[in-house]
Amino acid sequence: MQRGCSMGMNPEQPILCTALAQLKKEHGPLVEKMLELQQLAAQFVHAEAIRKEELLVELQAQTAAFIAELEPHSAREENVLFPMMAKYIGKETGPIAVMEYEHEQAKRLLKRFLEDGFPDYLQNAVETLRGHFQKEEQVLFPMAEKMLSEEEKQHLLEKIATRPADGVGDCQ
């Protein structure tokens, strides 16, 4: 086994270094939260008028809590992984441009839901993130594994493991 890498249980899944495996692992709890939000949104949509306001308040509070969990994950990708990869593949077009666009789209939709209370915004955000996570796991992370040197992977691990997300910043 390579130093700093974790073995996948599925032979079809690529072996990811510790940093990339951590980013991938962070998707699981976020997906669970998204499913909870979808269930609560469905309750809201089908609720009688008398319960809608109560459910909306709960749904918006849970959405705000979800955003608080999503943001550090997104920041680690946006401030560390994406710039590292952009040195090799650019960021104006291609995978990094798509990933950044999807981050912004999901954030915008979640914000609109909090402002307007229309569950369609929340549903669209969840669907955007679901597809986004899948692209990262199936395309971006394996690409990064092949592209980044062992030194860069170690640097990535240090940056995402030791710094708070709002202070990740410069990865040079």
Side-chain angles (χ1 to χ4, degrees), residues 104-123:
E104 288 306 313
Q105 183 180 30
K107 289 175 190 178
R108 187 176 63 250
L109 289 166
L110 290 166
K111 183 179 181 212
R112 289 286 308 267
F113 170 70
L114 290 177
E115 293 169 352
D116 301 341
F118 295 119
D120 285 353
Y121 291 128
L122 178 60
Q123 181 62 30

Side-chain angles (χ1 to χ4, degrees), residues 123-144:
Q123 181 62 30
N124 289 339
V126 166
E127 290 306 316
T128 297
L129 288 169
R130 190 174 303 203
H132 175 79
F133 289 168
Q134 188 174 36
K135 287 176 201 158
E136 285 182 337
E137 292 175 12
Q138 294 178 357
V139 178
L140 193 74
F141 296 163
M143 181 185 291

Side-chain angles (χ1 to χ4, degrees), residues 19-163:
L20 294 170
Q22 174 185 323
L23 291 171
K24 181 179 177 179
K25 185 177 178 183
E26 291 172 5
H27 288 170
L30 292 169
V31 168
E32 287 177 24
K33 296 281 187 194
M34 291 188 309
L35 292 173
E36 291 171 12
L37 288 172
Q38 284 184 308
Q39 291 171 349
L40 190 55
Q43 289 176 22
F44 168 77
V45 167
H46 295 92
E48 294 180 21
I50 196 163
R51 287 223 45 226
K52 283 214 185 262
E53 188 173 332
E54 174 189 336
L55 285 170
L56 180 58
V57 168
E58 183 180 349
L59 187 54
Q60 287 177 318
Q62 286 192 24
T63 298
F66 170 73
I67 292 168
E69 291 182 35
L70 176 65
E71 188 53 40
H73 171 79
S74 297
R76 284 188 283 280
E77 292 176 345
E78 293 167 3
N79 297 332
V80 184
L81 177 62
F82 295 173
M84 289 178 93
M85 292 183 71
K87 289 190 289 187
Y88 295 99
I89 60 174
K91 68 177 224 168
E92 301 306 316
T93 60
I96 302 302
V98 171
M99 297 295 110
E100 289 180 337
Y101 171 77
E102 289 174 350
H103 276 198
E104 288 306 313
Q105 183 180 30
K107 289 175 190 178
R108 187 176 63 250
L109 289 166
L110 290 166
K111 183 179 181 212
R112 289 286 308 267
F113 170 70
L114 290 177
E115 293 169 352
D116 301 341
F118 295 119
D120 285 353
Y121 291 128
L122 178 60
Q123 181 62 30
N124 289 339
V126 166
E127 290 306 316
T128 297
L129 288 169
R130 190 174 303 203
H132 175 79
F133 289 168
Q134 188 174 36
K135 287 176 201 158
E136 285 182 337
E137 292 175 12
Q138 294 178 357
V139 178
L140 193 74
F141 296 163
M143 181 185 291
E145 180 63 39
K146 291 177 184 173
M147 180 184 306
L148 300 176
S149 70
E150 289 302 315
E151 181 179 295
E152 288 170 316
K153 291 173 190 175
Q154 185 60 39
H155 185 70
L156 176 63
L157 180 61
E158 291 167 6
K159 289 288 190 178
I160 69 171
T162 61
R163 292 188 141 173

